[in-house]
Amino acid sequence: MSNDFVNLLERLVNNGVDFVIVGGFAGVAHGCTYVTQDIDICCDFSPANLLALQKAISDLDPVHRMTPNRKKLKLTDKTCVQFKNLYLDTENGQLDCLSFIDGLGDYNRAKQESELIEVEDMKIRVLSLDALIKTKRAMNRPQDKAAVLQLESIRKLRTETSEE
Amino acid sequence: MNNSRQMDPIQAATDYGIDVSMLADNLRRSVTDRIKRHQIALNTAKKLRKAKRL
């Protein structure tokens, strides 16, 4: 397996983690040309799913990247319920796990507004183009504004292509 | 007139400085290819960040 984001996703899929790719990397999947340094996923924050996620990346030295001492990821049934988001760093890159997306809602909503894509024979859920535009508009940071311009162009280009 | 120009997403992106032809190229690629090319760009950016000034 290669040492990159695809490997990270492969691990999640192979361990049965329920997730949807959101954020900048979803934009990359849809065709955006920018480079992003992390993968954002919206996932089910049930203990079973978070423990599956932990198992998937356990040998990648996962740490909470926002804590002062970069605390090691050590989830248990009991501690899982404390988290609404997990901001992780691993040997294969940063992985941000969110239970809620601004402008959209929780994991169930993200799943409803997702589509299946195929990456190296893996089927992965990614936020739809329309939903991603909605969330980027809601975030409204400078990088989100630039992303919206790319995403809206992609939507127009897709329409033009399908009309040909 | 100005409003319709602002509402065209491709024109808005072009005005912002986005190379829309690169987006069009990307749309012709599979998702796997897009992600592969992104990884190449990310790996290159990481190497450049570690580069030393001579």
Side-chain angles (χ1 to χ4, degrees):
Chain A
M1 281 196 285
S2 53
N3 183 24
D4 57 21
F5 284 160
V6 173
N7 173 263
L8 210 46
L9 295 171
E10 211 168 8
R11 286 164 174 272
L12 299 181
V13 170
N14 291 344
N15 283 274
V17 179
D18 284 331
F19 70 99
V20 175
I21 301 173
V22 299
F25 200 73
V28 170
H30 283 298
C32 287
T33 55
Y34 55 69
V35 174
T36 180
Q37 298 199 63
D38 61 1
I39 297 188
D40 299 322
I41 60 169
C42 182
C43 60
D44 172 20
F45 264 59
S46 66
N49 202 47
L50 290 187
L51 292 174
L53 184 146
Q54 176 170 251
K55 188 181 168 208
I57 57 172
S58 59
D59 59 334
L60 296 177
D61 194 20
V63 295
H64 295 271
R65 65 183 174 83
M66 306 283 249
T67 58
N69 298 321
R70 292 170 64 85
K71 247 173 93 179
K72 284 190 185 241
L73 179 69
K74 282 184 186 167
L75 299 173
T76 65
D77 272 333
K78 284 182 185 169
T79 59
C80 278
V81 294
Q82 298 168 359
F83 296 101
K84 287 188 175 153
N85 298 314
L86 287 169
Y87 302 104
L88 305 175
D89 198 7
T90 78
E91 286 173 6
N92 280 14
Q94 291 180 4
L95 177 67
D96 290 347
C97 312
L98 314 169
S99 63
F100 188 91
I101 311 285
D102 283 346
L104 194 69
D106 62 7
Y107 169 67
N108 287 328
R109 185 74 188 156
K111 195 173 176 181
Q112 277 171 17
E113 301 236 13
S114 70
E115 56 192 62
L116 272 176
I117 56 167
E118 196 170 62
V119 182
E120 292 190 358
D121 299 328
M122 280 184 294
K123 293 208 169 32
I124 306 176
R125 290 205 164 273
V126 63
L127 207 56
S128 72
L129 188 56
D130 287 344
L132 186 58
I133 290 171
K134 219 186 290 177
T135 63
K136 288 281 176 191
R137 279 200 188 124
M139 298 281 282
N140 205 31
R141 298 164 300 182
Q143 67 264 37
D144 297 314
K145 288 178 187 171
V148 166
L149 287 166
Q150 288 208 27
L151 293 166
E152 287 181 334
S153 293
I154 287 168
R155 184 161 61 185
K156 175 99 187 274
L157 288 167
R158 271 192 194 175
T159 313
E160 286 174 356
T161 310
S162 64
E163 280 171 357
E164 277 170 12
Chain B
M1 191 73 182
N2 193 32
N3 271 350
S4 64
R5 182 185 150 90
Q6 281 177 350
M7 284 173 71
D8 175 24
I10 292 177
Q11 189 60 55
T14 304
D15 289 349
Y16 188 80
I18 292 165
D19 186 341
V20 176
S21 70
M22 285 174 71
L23 294 175
D25 284 346
N26 248 357
L27 290 183
R28 283 188 279 272
R29 297 187 177 104
S30 67
V31 178
T32 299
D33 278 349
R34 290 173 203 161
I35 291 176
K36 269 185 192 163
R37 291 173 73 92
H38 172 268
Q39 191 68 47
I40 291 167
L42 178 59
N43 292 344
T44 307
K46 282 180 181 169
K47 280 180 192 164
L48 286 172
R49 220 169 284 136
K50 286 180 189 165
K52 291 174 188 165
R53 209 174 262 181
L54 297 176

